mmCIF file of all heavy atoms in Angstrom:
data_model
loop_
_atom_site.group_PDB
_atom_site.id
_atom_site.type_symbol
_atom_site.label_atom_id
_atom_site.label_comp_id
_atom_site.label_asym_id
_atom_site.label_seq_id
_atom_site.Cartn_x
_atom_site.Cartn_y
_atom_site.Cartn_z
ATOM 1 N N ARG A 1 -21.616 -111.593 -31.966
ATOM 2 C CA ARG A 1 -21.586 -110.422 -30.956
ATOM 3 C C ARG A 1 -20.137 -110.121 -30.519
ATOM 4 O O ARG A 1 -19.743 -109.009 -30.284
ATOM 5 C CB ARG A 1 -22.478 -110.673 -29.815
ATOM 6 C CG ARG A 1 -23.965 -110.685 -30.205
ATOM 7 C CD ARG A 1 -24.845 -110.496 -29.082
ATOM 8 N NE ARG A 1 -26.238 -110.519 -29.347
ATOM 9 C CZ ARG A 1 -27.043 -111.534 -29.083
ATOM 10 N NH1 ARG A 1 -26.599 -112.642 -28.474
ATOM 11 N NH2 ARG A 1 -28.259 -111.434 -29.396
ATOM 12 N N GLN A 2 -19.337 -111.139 -30.396
ATOM 13 C CA GLN A 2 -17.974 -111.055 -29.831
ATOM 14 C C GLN A 2 -17.233 -110.261 -30.927
ATOM 15 O O GLN A 2 -16.474 -109.188 -30.615
ATOM 16 C CB GLN A 2 -17.259 -112.363 -29.646
ATOM 17 C CG GLN A 2 -15.765 -112.227 -29.441
ATOM 18 C CD GLN A 2 -15.061 -113.560 -29.504
ATOM 19 O OE1 GLN A 2 -15.582 -114.442 -30.017
ATOM 20 N NE2 GLN A 2 -13.805 -113.425 -28.952
ATOM 21 N N VAL A 3 -17.374 -110.618 -32.251
ATOM 22 C CA VAL A 3 -16.646 -109.902 -33.257
ATOM 23 C C VAL A 3 -17.203 -108.413 -33.458
ATOM 24 O O VAL A 3 -16.512 -107.416 -33.802
ATOM 25 C CB VAL A 3 -16.658 -110.609 -34.587
ATOM 26 C CG1 VAL A 3 -16.051 -109.901 -35.762
ATOM 27 C CG2 VAL A 3 -16.028 -111.970 -34.427
ATOM 28 N N PHE A 4 -18.532 -108.329 -33.227
ATOM 29 C CA PHE A 4 -19.129 -106.938 -33.234
ATOM 30 C C PHE A 4 -18.554 -106.067 -32.241
ATOM 31 O O PHE A 4 -18.116 -104.815 -32.512
ATOM 32 C CB PHE A 4 -20.698 -107.105 -32.923
ATOM 33 C CG PHE A 4 -21.334 -105.934 -32.782
ATOM 34 C CD1 PHE A 4 -21.840 -105.136 -33.745
ATOM 35 C CD2 PHE A 4 -21.523 -105.181 -31.553
ATOM 36 C CE1 PHE A 4 -22.641 -103.999 -33.726
ATOM 37 C CE2 PHE A 4 -22.164 -103.930 -31.294
ATOM 38 C CZ PHE A 4 -22.712 -103.238 -32.483
ATOM 39 N N TYR A 5 -18.295 -106.509 -31.069
ATOM 40 C CA TYR A 5 -17.607 -105.736 -29.934
ATOM 41 C C TYR A 5 -16.112 -105.482 -30.262
ATOM 42 O O TYR A 5 -15.719 -104.360 -30.126
ATOM 43 C CB TYR A 5 -17.656 -106.375 -28.613
ATOM 44 C CG TYR A 5 -19.088 -106.290 -27.905
ATOM 45 C CD1 TYR A 5 -19.806 -107.282 -27.520
ATOM 46 C CD2 TYR A 5 -19.497 -104.932 -27.603
ATOM 47 C CE1 TYR A 5 -20.961 -107.148 -26.959
ATOM 48 C CE2 TYR A 5 -20.676 -104.805 -26.944
ATOM 49 C CZ TYR A 5 -21.428 -105.760 -26.573
ATOM 50 O OH TYR A 5 -22.618 -105.633 -25.995
ATOM 51 N N LEU A 6 -15.500 -106.490 -30.959
ATOM 52 C CA LEU A 6 -14.134 -106.283 -31.333
ATOM 53 C C LEU A 6 -14.011 -105.254 -32.392
ATOM 54 O O LEU A 6 -13.071 -104.395 -32.507
ATOM 55 C CB LEU A 6 -13.459 -107.547 -31.742
ATOM 56 C CG LEU A 6 -13.236 -108.620 -30.651
ATOM 57 C CD1 LEU A 6 -12.696 -109.926 -31.231
ATOM 58 C CD2 LEU A 6 -12.214 -108.122 -29.609
ATOM 59 N N ARG A 7 -15.050 -105.235 -33.325
ATOM 60 C CA ARG A 7 -15.093 -104.191 -34.381
ATOM 61 C C ARG A 7 -15.236 -102.779 -33.827
ATOM 62 O O ARG A 7 -14.651 -101.854 -34.155
ATOM 63 C CB ARG A 7 -16.134 -104.625 -35.437
ATOM 64 C CG ARG A 7 -16.056 -103.816 -36.646
ATOM 65 C CD ARG A 7 -17.036 -102.681 -36.636
ATOM 66 N NE ARG A 7 -17.029 -102.012 -37.916
ATOM 67 C CZ ARG A 7 -17.426 -100.679 -38.069
ATOM 68 N NH1 ARG A 7 -17.842 -100.065 -36.995
ATOM 69 N NH2 ARG A 7 -17.388 -100.105 -39.290
ATOM 70 N N GLU A 8 -16.143 -102.705 -32.798
ATOM 71 C CA GLU A 8 -16.425 -101.355 -32.125
ATOM 72 C C GLU A 8 -15.100 -100.962 -31.442
ATOM 73 O O GLU A 8 -14.736 -99.681 -31.468
ATOM 74 C CB GLU A 8 -17.541 -101.492 -31.238
ATOM 75 C CG GLU A 8 -18.868 -101.705 -31.883
ATOM 76 C CD GLU A 8 -19.431 -100.552 -32.741
ATOM 77 O OE1 GLU A 8 -19.331 -99.498 -32.146
ATOM 78 O OE2 GLU A 8 -19.558 -100.806 -33.863
ATOM 79 N N GLN A 9 -14.440 -101.922 -30.726
ATOM 80 C CA GLN A 9 -13.244 -101.530 -30.025
ATOM 81 C C GLN A 9 -12.112 -100.946 -31.059
ATOM 82 O O GLN A 9 -11.449 -100.024 -30.752
ATOM 83 C CB GLN A 9 -12.646 -102.694 -29.320
ATOM 84 C CG GLN A 9 -11.476 -102.500 -28.474
ATOM 85 C CD GLN A 9 -10.840 -103.752 -27.900
ATOM 86 O OE1 GLN A 9 -10.786 -104.756 -28.490
ATOM 87 N NE2 GLN A 9 -10.485 -103.631 -26.685
ATOM 88 N N ALA A 10 -12.018 -101.583 -32.193
ATOM 89 C CA ALA A 10 -11.048 -101.225 -33.205
ATOM 90 C C ALA A 10 -11.411 -99.782 -33.820
ATOM 91 O O ALA A 10 -10.626 -99.024 -33.905
ATOM 92 C CB ALA A 10 -10.963 -102.205 -34.391
ATOM 93 N N GLU A 11 -12.688 -99.630 -33.963
ATOM 94 C CA GLU A 11 -13.235 -98.289 -34.467
ATOM 95 C C GLU A 11 -12.852 -97.210 -33.465
ATOM 96 O O GLU A 11 -12.520 -96.037 -33.840
ATOM 97 C CB GLU A 11 -14.706 -98.394 -34.659
ATOM 98 C CG GLU A 11 -15.396 -97.167 -35.296
ATOM 99 C CD GLU A 11 -14.952 -97.155 -36.822
ATOM 100 O OE1 GLU A 11 -14.786 -98.090 -37.414
ATOM 101 O OE2 GLU A 11 -14.909 -95.962 -37.331
ATOM 102 N N LEU A 12 -12.881 -97.489 -32.073
ATOM 103 C CA LEU A 12 -12.709 -96.456 -31.162
ATOM 104 C C LEU A 12 -11.201 -96.197 -31.060
ATOM 105 O O LEU A 12 -10.774 -95.219 -30.388
ATOM 106 C CB LEU A 12 -13.280 -96.950 -29.797
ATOM 107 C CG LEU A 12 -14.722 -97.146 -29.689
ATOM 108 C CD1 LEU A 12 -15.266 -97.543 -28.359
ATOM 109 C CD2 LEU A 12 -15.370 -95.598 -29.864
ATOM 110 N N ALA A 13 -10.354 -96.939 -31.584
ATOM 111 C CA ALA A 13 -8.937 -96.861 -31.461
ATOM 112 C C ALA A 13 -8.407 -95.605 -32.241
ATOM 113 O O ALA A 13 -7.402 -95.049 -31.939
ATOM 114 C CB ALA A 13 -8.157 -98.056 -31.964
ATOM 115 N N LYS A 14 -9.291 -95.002 -33.001
ATOM 116 C CA LYS A 14 -8.900 -93.679 -33.795
ATOM 117 C C LYS A 14 -9.055 -92.522 -32.948
ATOM 118 O O LYS A 14 -8.622 -91.552 -33.194
ATOM 119 C CB LYS A 14 -9.742 -93.677 -35.075
ATOM 120 C CG LYS A 14 -11.241 -93.506 -34.827
ATOM 121 C CD LYS A 14 -11.953 -93.521 -36.186
ATOM 122 C CE LYS A 14 -13.527 -93.359 -36.031
ATOM 123 N NZ LYS A 14 -14.155 -93.544 -37.253
ATOM 124 N N TYR A 15 -9.792 -92.637 -31.814
ATOM 125 C CA TYR A 15 -9.952 -91.467 -30.892
ATOM 126 C C TYR A 15 -8.818 -91.418 -29.886
ATOM 127 O O TYR A 15 -8.208 -92.474 -29.551
ATOM 128 C CB TYR A 15 -11.298 -91.653 -30.103
ATOM 129 C CG TYR A 15 -12.565 -91.690 -30.942
ATOM 130 C CD1 TYR A 15 -13.259 -92.738 -31.324
ATOM 131 C CD2 TYR A 15 -12.901 -90.332 -31.372
ATOM 132 C CE1 TYR A 15 -14.289 -92.718 -32.033
ATOM 133 C CE2 TYR A 15 -14.108 -90.273 -32.245
ATOM 134 C CZ TYR A 15 -14.765 -91.348 -32.611
ATOM 135 O OH TYR A 15 -15.905 -91.407 -33.283
ATOM 136 N N PRO A 16 -8.551 -90.188 -29.421
ATOM 137 C CA PRO A 16 -7.419 -90.176 -28.433
ATOM 138 C C PRO A 16 -7.625 -90.888 -27.167
ATOM 139 O O PRO A 16 -8.694 -91.178 -26.765
ATOM 140 C CB PRO A 16 -7.385 -88.521 -28.224
ATOM 141 C CG PRO A 16 -8.215 -87.949 -29.221
ATOM 142 C CD PRO A 16 -9.271 -88.939 -29.770
ATOM 143 N N SER A 17 -6.445 -91.341 -26.666
ATOM 144 C CA SER A 17 -6.509 -92.037 -25.295
ATOM 145 C C SER A 17 -5.754 -91.098 -24.202
ATOM 146 O O SER A 17 -4.897 -90.370 -24.475
ATOM 147 C CB SER A 17 -5.783 -93.375 -25.307
ATOM 148 O OG SER A 17 -4.398 -93.218 -25.742
ATOM 149 N N LEU A 18 -6.147 -91.259 -23.013
ATOM 150 C CA LEU A 18 -5.671 -90.456 -21.918
ATOM 151 C C LEU A 18 -5.101 -91.349 -20.867
ATOM 152 O O LEU A 18 -5.762 -92.150 -20.403
ATOM 153 C CB LEU A 18 -6.852 -89.506 -21.361
ATOM 154 C CG LEU A 18 -6.423 -88.722 -20.010
ATOM 155 C CD1 LEU A 18 -5.278 -87.650 -20.488
ATOM 156 C CD2 LEU A 18 -7.673 -88.082 -19.515
ATOM 157 N N THR A 19 -3.831 -91.088 -20.548
ATOM 158 C CA THR A 19 -3.094 -91.829 -19.525
ATOM 159 C C THR A 19 -2.692 -90.980 -18.508
ATOM 160 O O THR A 19 -2.063 -89.862 -18.702
ATOM 161 C CB THR A 19 -1.947 -92.685 -20.174
ATOM 162 O OG1 THR A 19 -2.351 -93.444 -21.136
ATOM 163 C CG2 THR A 19 -1.318 -93.434 -18.967
ATOM 164 N N LEU A 20 -3.028 -91.253 -17.143
ATOM 165 C CA LEU A 20 -2.572 -90.389 -15.945
ATOM 166 C C LEU A 20 -1.393 -91.217 -15.384
ATOM 167 O O LEU A 20 -1.548 -92.413 -15.104
ATOM 168 C CB LEU A 20 -3.675 -90.300 -14.960
ATOM 169 C CG LEU A 20 -4.997 -89.570 -15.457
ATOM 170 C CD1 LEU A 20 -5.899 -89.415 -14.416
ATOM 171 C CD2 LEU A 20 -4.601 -88.155 -16.138
ATOM 172 N N THR A 21 -0.264 -90.513 -15.131
ATOM 173 C CA THR A 21 0.880 -91.072 -14.600
ATOM 174 C C THR A 21 1.349 -90.400 -13.306
ATOM 175 O O THR A 21 1.373 -89.139 -13.253
ATOM 176 C CB THR A 21 2.030 -91.254 -15.604
ATOM 177 O OG1 THR A 21 1.623 -91.849 -16.832
ATOM 178 C CG2 THR A 21 3.243 -91.937 -15.068
ATOM 179 N N LEU A 22 1.640 -91.155 -12.229
ATOM 180 C CA LEU A 22 2.220 -90.582 -11.000
ATOM 181 C C LEU A 22 3.571 -91.236 -10.635
ATOM 182 O O LEU A 22 3.574 -92.477 -10.643
ATOM 183 C CB LEU A 22 1.182 -90.716 -9.898
ATOM 184 C CG LEU A 22 1.560 -90.062 -8.563
ATOM 185 C CD1 LEU A 22 1.559 -88.590 -8.680
ATOM 186 C CD2 LEU A 22 0.546 -90.544 -7.528
ATOM 187 N N THR A 23 4.560 -90.450 -10.511
ATOM 188 C CA THR A 23 5.862 -90.970 -10.233
ATOM 189 C C THR A 23 6.451 -90.488 -8.955
ATOM 190 O O THR A 23 7.332 -89.585 -8.809
ATOM 191 C CB THR A 23 6.855 -90.667 -11.316
ATOM 192 O OG1 THR A 23 6.975 -89.270 -11.532
ATOM 193 C CG2 THR A 23 6.487 -91.260 -12.725
ATOM 194 N N PRO A 24 6.042 -91.019 -7.736
ATOM 195 C CA PRO A 24 6.723 -90.656 -6.475
ATOM 196 C C PRO A 24 8.070 -91.359 -6.401
ATOM 197 O O PRO A 24 8.193 -92.504 -6.921
ATOM 198 C CB PRO A 24 5.636 -91.206 -5.506
ATOM 199 C CG PRO A 24 4.999 -92.375 -6.159
ATOM 200 C CD PRO A 24 4.956 -92.040 -7.655
ATOM 201 N N GLY A 25 8.923 -90.819 -5.655
ATOM 202 C CA GLY A 25 10.163 -91.534 -5.310
ATOM 203 C C GLY A 25 11.079 -90.770 -4.365
ATOM 204 O O GLY A 25 10.750 -89.694 -3.803
ATOM 205 N N LEU A 26 12.158 -91.272 -4.055
ATOM 206 C CA LEU A 26 13.104 -90.661 -3.192
ATOM 207 C C LEU A 26 14.479 -90.581 -3.895
ATOM 208 O O LEU A 26 14.919 -91.388 -4.596
ATOM 209 C CB LEU A 26 13.426 -91.508 -1.879
ATOM 210 C CG LEU A 26 12.160 -91.734 -0.892
ATOM 211 C CD1 LEU A 26 12.351 -92.732 0.041
ATOM 212 C CD2 LEU A 26 11.853 -90.401 -0.275
ATOM 213 N N SER A 27 15.234 -89.465 -3.673
ATOM 214 C CA SER A 27 16.526 -89.170 -4.175
ATOM 215 C C SER A 27 17.416 -88.576 -3.100
ATOM 216 O O SER A 27 16.996 -87.706 -2.243
ATOM 217 C CB SER A 27 16.378 -88.183 -5.333
ATOM 218 O OG SER A 27 17.687 -87.692 -5.808
ATOM 219 N N THR A 28 18.715 -88.953 -3.107
ATOM 220 C CA THR A 28 19.645 -88.379 -2.240
ATOM 221 C C THR A 28 19.888 -86.848 -2.455
ATOM 222 O O THR A 28 20.251 -86.133 -1.604
ATOM 223 C CB THR A 28 21.082 -89.004 -2.166
ATOM 224 O OG1 THR A 28 21.476 -88.925 -3.652
ATOM 225 C CG2 THR A 28 20.910 -90.491 -1.908
ATOM 226 N N ALA A 29 19.520 -86.451 -3.721
ATOM 227 C CA ALA A 29 19.617 -85.037 -3.896
ATOM 228 C C ALA A 29 18.505 -84.245 -3.591
ATOM 229 O O ALA A 29 18.580 -83.021 -3.017
ATOM 230 C CB ALA A 29 19.997 -84.860 -5.417
ATOM 231 N N ASP A 30 17.390 -84.718 -3.864
ATOM 232 C CA ASP A 30 16.147 -83.828 -3.751
ATOM 233 C C ASP A 30 15.142 -84.410 -2.609
ATOM 234 O O ASP A 30 14.138 -83.790 -2.363
ATOM 235 C CB ASP A 30 15.267 -83.889 -5.097
ATOM 236 C CG ASP A 30 16.152 -83.346 -6.160
ATOM 237 O OD1 ASP A 30 16.836 -82.454 -5.998
ATOM 238 O OD2 ASP A 30 15.874 -83.879 -7.358
ATOM 239 N N GLY A 31 15.435 -85.524 -2.045
ATOM 240 C CA GLY A 31 14.555 -86.031 -1.075
ATOM 241 C C GLY A 31 13.400 -86.592 -1.767
ATOM 242 O O GLY A 31 13.403 -87.321 -2.679
ATOM 243 N N LEU A 32 12.156 -86.422 -1.098
ATOM 244 C CA LEU A 32 10.951 -86.980 -1.619
ATOM 245 C C LEU A 32 10.475 -86.152 -2.956
ATOM 246 O O LEU A 32 10.459 -84.875 -2.778
ATOM 247 C CB LEU A 32 9.893 -86.928 -0.498
ATOM 248 C CG LEU A 32 8.511 -87.405 -0.982
ATOM 249 C CD1 LEU A 32 8.397 -88.893 -1.484
ATOM 250 C CD2 LEU A 32 7.551 -87.130 0.162
ATOM 251 N N PHE A 33 10.124 -86.855 -3.941
ATOM 252 C CA PHE A 33 9.604 -85.992 -5.043
ATOM 253 C C PHE A 33 8.427 -86.792 -5.609
ATOM 254 O O PHE A 33 8.238 -88.015 -5.601
ATOM 255 C CB PHE A 33 10.573 -85.898 -6.137
ATOM 256 C CG PHE A 33 11.056 -87.056 -6.861
ATOM 257 C CD1 PHE A 33 10.454 -87.670 -7.885
ATOM 258 C CD2 PHE A 33 12.284 -87.677 -6.252
ATOM 259 C CE1 PHE A 33 10.852 -88.958 -8.401
ATOM 260 C CE2 PHE A 33 12.774 -88.963 -6.821
ATOM 261 C CZ PHE A 33 12.047 -89.478 -8.008
#
């Protein structure tokens, strides 16, 4: 069953993946961004 799930995981790697990124920070030029 472990290898079964690993095989399913590998099969799903052909589908797109979505990553959400948030980059808060401070700058002397722009202040908070």
Side-chain angles (χ1 to χ4, degrees):
R1 292 200 180 104
Q2 177 193 9
V3 176
F4 173 88
Y5 280 119
L6 291 175
R7 193 261 183 206
E8 292 296 303
Q9 184 184 43
E11 185 74 29
L12 294 175
K14 63 185 180 183
Y15 294 102
S17 61
L18 176 63
T19 302
L20 302 181
T21 304
L22 184 67
T23 56
L26 293 172
S27 172
T28 55
D30 302 324
L32 174 66
F33 64 87

